Amino acid sequence: MSGGITLLVLGVALLLVWPLHNLVLAGFAWWRPRPGRTTPDRPPALRFWIVVPALNEELVVAATVRAALALDSERTPVRVLVVDDGSTDATPEILASIVDSRLHVLRRDPPNARQGKGEALNAAYRLIRDTAVAEGSERETVLGVIDGDGRGTPDMLREVAAFLSARDVGAVQCRVRIHNRRSLLGFLQDMEFSCVADASQSLRDVLGSVDLGGNGQFVRLTDLMRFGDSPWSACLVEDLELGLRLHLAGVRVRYATNAVITQQAVTDPRRLVRQRTRWGQGNLQCLRFLPRLVAARTVRTAALLDFAYYLVAPWLVVPMALLVLGLLGVTGYGWATGQTFGGLVADTADAPWALGLWLTALTAPGVLWGLVHRLRLRDEPLHRTVLVGLLYPAFLLLGALASTRALGRHLSGRNAWSKTERLVEEPVPA
């Protein structure tokens, strides 16, 4: 009987914890004031270098560079540095065709090229640092990272500059959205970034545990200079590691929900799993920072708990998946034999009610996020947001598969870096 009670408790926990977690997070997203214009009329004068790491980006790099140059203004002057990391397609020719004195191209050839995004960013950082020191502008310089498919909204830098006007703020992460969301898989990623991740990052902004993303991160040059010649590491999620290092150094990282950067979705499920495998493996690599975070006096308790959650969670995916499969197996066996295992498995008469309860618990969080997307962003029809909400559990299964592969790769010592493929550009939705 004690084993049955244990399984019953585990089953109830699995039934309730995930929906309650999403309900609390969605409630926080709804409780926040609706995003509006918060930038001051005259943000502090800062100089922005926008780094675009480029490896075989012929399909997207021209539009990305032009969009980055368009962010330039009197109060937020911009220079763009594209790191051509040994491209073998038409990327060099496309960059050469863009005539603009604010555009700089750093070509990296083998054997230095293709060592991962972190090394490409470090090469860009060293060039920018040396230039700023020579100009005497290192204290006013901000280094931003926009991926090869990234597009910033017109007022993005004004918002970033407003956050950096506080002396204790050294880095800002922008909100991410998807601009090719016509496919359901693309829209699912937009809901993930623009709603779920946005709510998580906004809560972390309160807790003091904002993490940097690979796209739309902005860091003061003087804070990057704390880490010598290589602020970014060879970690598969070099952005997350940099964020953790900044927190350990006592640098405050803020989240700008009104500063939006858009990027391409991965619309092929196999490629999506490959991308998320790399992300998951990078998270696993960053677990080594947890003891340092625990010992650090610069990290608040609430932030530490959040760091612990998202650094430990990837390690729990496989055991939780095995637990769920075990519970499903027990349920199937119980229905086949008529055993209830001390109440863990519903009897035949209660099976429809129990199945309906599980399906509700499984689908309710996704539908809730679909409604949040519709009511807060208002750029997709209701029927479509509800549909992707119902498909959200299947999307999470792809993530669980990727996490399982990531754990296998991590334990076997395979750390090869794989780039996300680009697609032919689609028009950006209004």
Side-chain angles (χ1 to χ4, degrees):
M1 180 64 68
S2 60
I5 293 175
T6 301
L7 286 174
L8 179 60
V9 170
L10 290 173
V12 171
L14 288 173
L15 180 66
L16 295 178
V17 170
W18 187 60
L20 287 176
H21 168 76
N22 281 270
L23 180 62
V24 171
L25 201 57
F28 178 80
W30 188 257
W31 168 78
R32 291 179 303 151
R34 193 169 186 270
R37 183 178 176 81
T38 60
T39 55
D41 291 334
R42 292 185 64 80
L46 296 170
R47 303 184 184 193
F48 286 86
W49 277 88
I50 295 178
V51 178
V52 180
L55 171 59
N56 294 336
E57 301 281 14
E58 63 181 2
L59 296 178
V60 295
V61 71
T64 297
V65 168
R66 292 191 177 100
L69 291 170
L71 297 174
D72 180 78
S73 73
E74 180 181 356
R75 297 291 293 180
T76 58
V78 165
R79 283 184 277 187
V80 176
L81 174 59
V82 179
V83 184
D84 180 1
D85 203 26
S87 297
T88 56
D89 64 356
T91 297
E93 290 76 17
I94 292 172
L95 292 172
S97 70
I98 303 175
V99 180
D100 194 305
S101 61
R102 298 167 298 165
L103 172 61
H104 308 264
V105 178
L106 174 61
R107 171 75 182 187
R108 285 163 55 84
D109 292 309
N112 296 321
R114 301 194 178 205
Q115 296 180 4
K117 182 179 175 183
E119 283 305 308
L121 293 177
N122 286 330
Y125 155 75
R126 290 189 288 268
L127 188 153
I128 293 168
R129 178 198 59 191
D130 294 346
T131 302
V133 170
E135 295 174 347
S137 61
E138 61 268 31
R139 293 188 178 278
E140 295 81 38
T141 299
V142 177
L143 191 154
V145 178
I146 293 181
D147 284 344
D149 58 341
R151 310 284 187 276
T153 52
D155 282 344
M156 181 177 72
L157 296 188
R158 291 173 59 86
E159 185 81 9
V160 172
F163 277 99
L164 290 172
S165 64
R167 291 185 178 181
D168 63 335
V169 177
V172 177
Q173 174 59 45
C174 298
R175 187 182 198 175
V176 177
R177 292 207 62 187
I178 296 296
H179 55 243
N180 61 326
R181 56 180 184 268
R182 292 179 178 175
S183 70
L184 290 177
L185 189 55
F187 192 8
L188 280 162
Q189 290 164 74
D190 186 59
M191 187 174 75
E192 174 191 36
F193 286 119
S194 66
C195 295
V196 185
D198 176 62
S200 299
Q201 287 280 57
S202 296
L203 181 57
R204 288 170 183 158
D205 197 37
V206 175
L207 299 176
S209 55
V210 172
D211 63 285
L212 292 180
N215 200 10
Q217 58 176 290
F218 291 84
V219 188
R220 289 185 188 274
L221 180 61
T222 50
D223 285 311
L224 288 174
M225 291 169 66
R226 296 168 180 259
F227 307 120
D229 285 342
S230 301
W232 286 274
S233 72
C235 176
L236 293 175
V237 282
E238 74 295 322
D239 44 284
L240 173 59
E241 181 167 322
L242 175 61
L244 293 173
R245 294 173 73 187
L246 288 168
H247 284 291
L248 285 168
V251 178
R252 189 179 181 192
V253 183
R254 297 297 308 274
Y255 175 65
T257 188
N258 295 322
V260 179
I261 186 88
T262 70
Q263 64 186 37
Q264 279 193 355
V266 181
T267 56
D268 178 79
R270 290 176 297 178
R271 292 176 177 174
L272 180 66
V273 169
R274 184 168 64 184
Q275 178 199 64
R276 300 306 170 91
T277 297
R278 173 166 56 86
W279 293 1
Q281 190 174 357
N283 270 57
L284 296 172
Q285 292 172 340
C286 287
L287 182 65
R288 69 183 187 276
F289 281 89
L290 190 55
R292 293 170 58 186
L293 290 166
V294 172
R297 296 182 178 180
T298 56
V299 179
R300 293 185 295 176
T301 301
L304 176 60
L305 292 174
D306 187 56
F307 287 136
Y309 167 74
Y310 71 76
L311 290 176
V312 172
W315 291 89
L316 302 179
V317 171
V318 173
M320 289 300 293
L322 293 175
L323 176 60
V324 170
L325 289 175
L327 288 171
L328 290 175
V330 169
T331 301
Y333 180 80
W335 284 354
T337 61
Q339 296 188 44
T340 64
F341 297 98
L344 174 65
V345 179
D347 57 31
T348 305
D350 292 330
W353 177 86
L355 183 61
L357 182 62
W358 272 98
L359 288 175
T360 300
L362 184 67
T363 58
V367 173
L368 180 63
W369 286 117
L371 293 175
V372 169
H373 192 292
R374 169 59 187 166
L375 295 174
R376 290 192 69 84
L377 300 176
R378 300 182 183 276
D379 53 14
E380 294 287 348
L382 177 62
H383 72 273
R384 199 157 184 260
T385 60
V386 172
L387 177 58
V388 297
L390 291 171
L391 294 174
Y392 190 53
F395 179 69
L396 293 178
L397 283 178
L398 291 177
L401 174 61
S403 296
T404 303
R405 294 184 67 226
L407 182 59
R409 288 179 57 86
H410 184 67
L411 295 177
S412 63
R414 291 178 292 166
N415 296 314
W417 185 86
S418 60
K419 177 185 177 297
T420 301
E421 294 86 350
R422 304 301 183 202
L423 306 172
V424 177
E425 290 280 43
E426 296 182 9
V428 178

